[in-house]
Amino acid sequence: MRGPVVSGWLLVVLCGAAGAYCLWRAVRMRRCGADGERREAGGEAVMAFGMAAMGVPAAVVAPPDWSWVVYAAVFGTAALRAAGGLRRGGGRHAHHLVGSLAMVYMAVPLAGGAAAAGAGAGDHAGHLGHAGGGLPLVTGALLAYYAVWVLLAGVRLVPSGTARTGSEMVGACRLVMGTAMLAMLCTV
């Protein structure tokens, strides 16, 4: 992701906080025995921490050239897990599949740019979207998906006059991650 340093750090802080909350939920669910919710929270933690790591401004901390390959592998594996969840009938897995594939979509060109720059090239051409971007049709479809998803997630957080529950925090974390994904896709 490219952009001003301040917006990069904001992405890091928000996604890092969302990841920490999701990780806390996953640990809590393990104690309660809610295995499906635990896996979902764990997947969301991986996604949030991955987005936080990808958001670190290159002007401050340049990642190693191989990090983009690791991102692609981690989120490729997450996409395979989400696809497996789809077969078992989990509606939420479709969103996780799209998110994981979007992360792979952003990481693969960056991995290629880092390889093209060569080890120790110094300019880190593959970092923060400088590798040439993605396919306009795919990027546009992902932007449209996340724009609609963020709007719907925001509407779900509007108070309905009923008692508030802990699910609002989960919804807020998902809204943060959806908005971060939308911001990251805008830079592809």
Side-chain angles (χ1 to χ4, degrees):
M1 195 184 116
R2 63 180 157 211
V5 172
V6 173
S7 62
W9 283 119
L10 182 60
L11 183 84
V12 170
V13 169
L14 289 173
C15 289
Y21 179 74
C22 292
L23 186 60
W24 175 80
R25 273 184 41 233
V27 170
R28 191 183 77 197
M29 292 299 157
R30 184 175 186 177
R31 293 180 187 152
C32 299
D35 196 41
E37 290 180 45
R38 179 188 58 82
R39 276 192 303 257
E40 183 177 0
E44 289 173 345
V46 168
M47 179 68 70
F49 286 135
M51 290 192 304
M54 287 177 80
V56 174
V60 179
V61 178
D65 292 338
W66 51 263
S67 65
W68 302 108
V69 174
V70 172
Y71 290 137
V74 166
F75 290 107
T77 302
L80 291 174
R81 287 187 57 148
L86 277 176
R87 285 190 307 233
R88 290 187 301 270
R92 191 104 189 104
H93 292 284
H95 177 68
H96 288 270
L97 178 61
V98 171
S100 296
L101 290 174
M103 293 293 280
V104 170
Y105 174 72
M106 289 185 283
V108 166
L110 295 171
D123 63 347
H124 298 280
H127 190 56
L128 301 181
H130 297 291
L135 303 170
L137 184 62
V138 175
T139 303
L142 287 169
L143 282 169
Y145 173 82
Y146 274 99
V148 169
W149 195 91
V150 164
L151 289 173
L152 293 175
V155 167
R156 285 190 294 263
L157 286 177
V158 173
S160 62
T162 60
R164 308 294 280 179
T165 65
S167 66
E168 284 84 9
M169 186 65 171
V170 173
C173 285
R174 290 176 179 159
L175 180 62
V176 164
M177 290 190 305
T179 304
M181 185 68 81
L182 190 59
M184 291 171 72
L185 285 164
C186 284
T187 66
V188 173

